[in-house]
Every structure is written in C-alpha cells, then in structure tokens.
Amino acid sequence: MKEGKITNVLSREGTRVLIPGASLKGAIRTYAEFLSNSCAGSGTASCSDRLCIVCSMFGTLGKLGRVQFDDVLVNERSLKTTVVSGPSQWKGKATLPNTGKIYSHTLSETGQKTSIYEVIEPGSSFQFEVTVKGLTKKEFGLLLVAMGVSRKRFAVKLGRGKNIGFGSVTLRPENFLKISAVSEIPISGEELTKLVDECADVYLQSITGDSDIVANLDKIIDDSKKVLQLEEG
C-alpha cells in the first residue's frame, strides 16, 4: 500500500523483470477455455467422468498438465517501464458477456484511479519457451489457436491493467524442437508455418459445428484488429 493506493509492481529477479510462466499459462488457458467446449469459460463439458480438453492439456487438481510455460527474464537493456494510475482491474468489463475474464484491447475504463501500475512500455519484446508432451494434433491445434498464432490470428491480453488498455501482446512462433527417444528435430521457417497451420486447422475443423465457440473466436479476432494493425504498421 502507498498513500492508501494499491501498488502493482512488475516481478523481478535481481534487476531484471520476470514474467512468471504461470501467468503466461493462465492467460493462454483462459483463451483456450473460451475457444473450446471446456468445463469453464463458455464451454458446457463436465470433468466428472473424464477431463475436458483444457483440463487434460493444462492440468487440474490432482492432474499434471502436459503444457508448461517457462518463466521469462526480459532483457533489461532494451526494456523501458513506467508507472500509471487507473481503476482496479477487478472492476473491468469483459469482451465476452457473462465471463469477466477476456478483456477488450480497445476498452479504456474510466473511474476513480485507485491503483498504481508499473507497466512495460509499448514496443518491448520478449522470448519464452513452451514445453508440450503427448498432445494430439487437435490439442496442439487448440494451444496454437488460443495463443493467436494460427491463420485465425489475434492479440492476447497479459498481466495487470487489462481493464485500462494495458497488456496487449502479439505472439509469434519462432522455433519448434521435436524430441523423441532417438532424435531431436528442429523445425523453423516455412516448415514451422506448415506445422502450425496443419494442427490449427485440425482443431478449427473440429469446432465448425459449434456456433458459440466460433462466435467467441470471431469476437476475439475482431476486438484485436487495431492491435494487429499497429504491429503491422
């Protein structure tokens, strides 16, 4: 607390900003929930008899996940941060109705500035690794779609301050390392693009008959158009 206001500082390891892998995983899991028939988000599946696709991939109580996001130590030499004030995040509105989790990229909430946020300035970039184990093409496709890196591309929201326009991030796959008991095969460039498209298309084809999920995807894509235009510009 500082002068009666909540202070939200970035995590650090020493002097370098740390983006926890658990935060990245949680953010992407939220998109996966609203883009699948999960037991949360907008889905109707139940995990009583067998785990839904999201719990099976990301884990749940008593069940380890098969998707792991590593912590990120951002290169401090190229990183700039600043401090802003605004309404507390839990007062924010969501892009999708009755969810309270997917925040709009264009929403700039007004109101009493009760929180102070330390934020990373626009234009910064960072790299992180995702480890997947034993995913089917459909499951891997859902992960890619939820990260906004498939043909159905969109920007995601990460971190605090999402309700006042912060946390808009675009992701791009750079390299993929396929590891088996007998070999390690690096995949990049056009070959990686082909792998991403192939697996994402398997998943997208599986949801063509679910109008609610398709509508959610369309809303998320439409909401992030301005962010993608800024990146391309």
Side-chain angles (χ1 to χ4, degrees):
M1 304 292 291
K2 182 179 180 182
E3 298 178 355
K5 298 179 181 180
I6 302 171
T7 301
N8 298 277
V9 297
L10 294 166
S11 299
R12 281 179 170 79
E13 184 173 295
T15 60
R16 298 179 67 182
V17 169
L18 173 72
I19 302 176
S23 296
L24 291 169
K25 181 178 179 179
I28 301 304
R29 178 175 184 147
T30 298
Y31 283 93
E33 288 173 346
F34 292 112
L35 297 176
S36 69
N37 186 27
S38 67
C39 66
S42 55
T44 59
S46 170
C47 289
S48 57
D49 296 323
R50 58 180 300 181
L51 295 181
C52 71
I53 187 171
V54 172
C55 288
S56 176
M57 290 170 56
F58 289 83
T60 186
L61 185 63
K63 174 70 174 180
L64 291 175
R66 293 174 289 140
V67 177
Q68 180 65 47
F69 287 72
D70 288 352
D71 293 341
V72 181
L73 276 174
V74 184
N75 187 342
E76 61 179 323
R77 291 175 297 180
S78 62
L79 185 72
K80 294 182 180 180
T81 65
T82 189
V83 175
V84 299
S85 60
S88 300
Q89 181 166 306
W90 53 84
K91 295 180 181 179
K93 296 180 181 179
T95 301
L96 303 177
N98 305 318
T99 62
K101 288 191 176 182
I102 301 289
Y103 287 86
S104 171
H105 294 281
T106 58
L107 176 68
S108 181
E109 183 178 303
T110 59
Q112 186 178 2
K113 296 181 178 181
T114 56
S115 293
I116 297 174
Y117 301 92
E118 181 188 20
V119 298
I120 297 174
E121 292 191 352
S124 302
S125 63
F126 57 88
Q127 294 180 319
F128 63 95
E129 293 185 1
V130 183
T131 302
V132 300
K133 183 177 181 180
L135 298 186
T136 64
K137 282 188 176 182
K138 178 180 176 181
E139 290 171 331
F140 189 43
L142 170 57
L143 177 63
L144 296 168
V145 171
M147 293 176 69
V149 301
S150 71
R151 287 194 180 101
K152 298 286 188 177
R153 193 160 179 264
F154 56 83
V156 300
K157 296 281 277 189
L158 302 176
R160 300 184 180 95
K162 291 188 285 287
N163 58 313
I164 54 174
F166 291 95
S168 296
V169 178
T170 57
L171 305 177
R172 290 183 182 275
E174 292 187 348
N175 299 284
F176 182 83
L177 183 63
K178 184 178 181 180
I179 302 176
S180 68
V182 295
S183 66
E184 294 186 2
I185 304 174
I187 301 174
S188 60
E190 292 183 1
E191 190 177 359
L192 178 56
T193 300
K194 181 179 178 181
L195 174 65
V196 169
D197 290 343
E198 177 185 353
C199 294
D201 286 348
V202 169
Y203 182 73
L204 292 169
Q205 182 63 35
S206 74
I207 62 172
T208 54
D210 195 315
S211 59
D212 289 338
I213 296 175
V214 172
N216 286 348
L217 179 56
D218 289 342
K219 290 177 183 177
I220 291 171
I221 292 172
D222 185 66
D223 180 68
S224 67
K225 282 182 178 179
K226 289 185 178 180
V227 177
L228 297 180
Q229 288 170 357
L230 287 173
E231 182 195 38
E232 292 168 357

